[in-house]
Amino acid sequence: MTLDPKTGRAIARLMCTTTRDILWSSYRDRLRQTRPHSHLECRTGSGRATYHRYDHRNQHHLITYGVGMVMAKQAPETAVSWLSTREIRSRGYFGGEVSVLNLLAHTCTHEFAHLLQQHAGKRYHGSVHNRDFYRLLDQLNEDGLAARTRERLADLAQHHGLTLDDGPMVMPCQQTQAAQWQPGDPVRFGEGRSAREGRILRVNRKTCTVEGTGASRGLRFRVPFVMLETTE
Ligand SMILES: [Zn+2]
């Protein structure tokens, strides 16, 4: 399914509302016990970039949901390369089933796990998707908050007359198209302890040239499309 950017933005706004209503409201009081001024702003972004940022000075959390990300997650050919797709499949979130609704609900949970990770002091430069992050993400799924997030997002979409398909996506087994990669995209590649994070510098015919970030800063890699994942 393709989506116009206006609808994409409307969906991203619902993701903001859902994150505040379900996730933030469940944790706010606990977080404020140690950081009394903690607050969260959720906003939409025009590109694909989807991320959590934290400003230590005023204890301000910011989560951005990119309209381009919402659009990319509507179809299997473009959704396949996102980290959230792999997380749902490999970690069995939402029964391991990838759908538009599950991907977008999971994205809310994923960004909120970064917020909790930051609060716990477990976010390290160059090791963002680390063991501590997945412990928090697993917990949000196990304690039912991820399911409530999914339910609220589905309800809001229905209320606003927006369609979030909950039918399972059939994923292509390999991603070999150059068109879906863009310079500047944050990416991840490699497995386990040798996983690296970076940013796309250039899109080639079958590979991307990636500039390492964090622990891989200063290094460049040529990575085949099939090994790359867009991070969020
Ligand atoms: Zn992430």
Side-chain angles (χ1 to χ4, degrees):
M1 193 181 101
T2 51
L3 214 63
D4 63 277
K6 204 175 145 214
T7 309
R9 188 168 298 273
I11 293 170
R13 281 202 198 99
L14 300 185
M15 293 170 72
C16 290
T17 307
T18 302
T19 304
R20 279 191 300 262
D21 288 359
I22 303 295
L23 296 161
W24 175 249
S25 70
S26 302
Y27 274 88
R28 183 188 50 219
D29 294 346
R30 254 176 285 177
L31 300 182
R32 284 181 176 167
Q33 283 172 9
T34 46
R35 297 209 182 98
H37 302 295
S38 294
H39 62 285
L40 169 66
E41 177 191 351
C42 295
R43 65 172 187 189
T44 64
S46 52
R48 287 149 55 102
T50 296
Y51 53 86
H52 163 266
R53 292 276 181 281
Y54 182 62
D55 186 335
H56 289 271
R57 284 165 306 171
N58 50 17
Q59 303 177 6
H60 179 90
H61 293 277
L62 172 69
I63 291 176
T64 300
Y65 294 117
V67 174
M69 173 279 297
V70 172
M71 294 169 75
K73 288 179 182 171
Q74 302 296 314
E77 304 75 49
T78 42
V80 68
S81 62
W82 286 75
L83 178 59
S84 45
T85 299
R86 183 164 69 139
E87 285 173 346
I88 289 174
R89 296 169 98 186
S90 68
R91 303 185 76 83
Y93 302 142
F94 300 135
E97 191 172 286
V98 177
S99 65
V100 176
L101 175 61
N102 288 355
L103 277 170
L104 297 180
H106 177 70
T107 304
C108 298
T109 319
H110 179 110
E111 294 313 322
F112 196 75
H114 279 310
L115 184 155
L116 296 177
Q117 176 192 28
Q118 177 74 57
H119 185 85
K122 301 290 187 187
R123 180 166 180 150
Y124 309 112
H125 200 51
S127 166
V128 174
H129 299 101
N130 54 25
R131 211 163 45 174
D132 298 295
F133 171 76
Y134 283 108
R135 192 177 46 76
L136 291 162
L137 192 54
D138 285 350
Q139 195 185 320
L140 288 170
N141 278 274
E142 282 159 18
D143 68 13
L145 267 186
R148 283 177 54 206
T149 298
R150 180 186 186 277
E151 197 180 333
R152 175 63 63 92
L153 186 61
D155 286 351
L156 279 174
Q158 195 179 23
H159 181 77
H160 286 82
L162 298 166
T163 308
L164 295 183
D165 196 349
D166 63 354
M169 280 186 184
V170 180
M171 286 293 164
C173 51
Q174 279 202 333
Q175 188 49 46
T176 53
Q177 290 170 354
Q180 72 171 108
W181 303 105
Q182 293 171 12
D185 277 354
V187 289
R188 184 178 195 270
F189 57 96
E191 292 295 330
R193 294 178 69 176
S194 59
R196 294 179 184 272
E197 299 200 351
R199 230 162 245 290
I200 293 179
L201 268 184
R202 198 169 52 241
V203 181
N204 311 306
R205 206 164 59 84
K206 290 180 176 172
T207 64
C208 285
T209 305
V210 176
E211 182 176 43
T213 53
S216 306
R217 184 176 294 276
L219 300 174
R220 280 194 189 186
F221 309 90
R222 267 178 91 95
V223 188
F225 296 144
V226 293
M227 284 180 63
L228 280 171
E229 276 169 354
T230 308
T231 58
E232 32 206 330

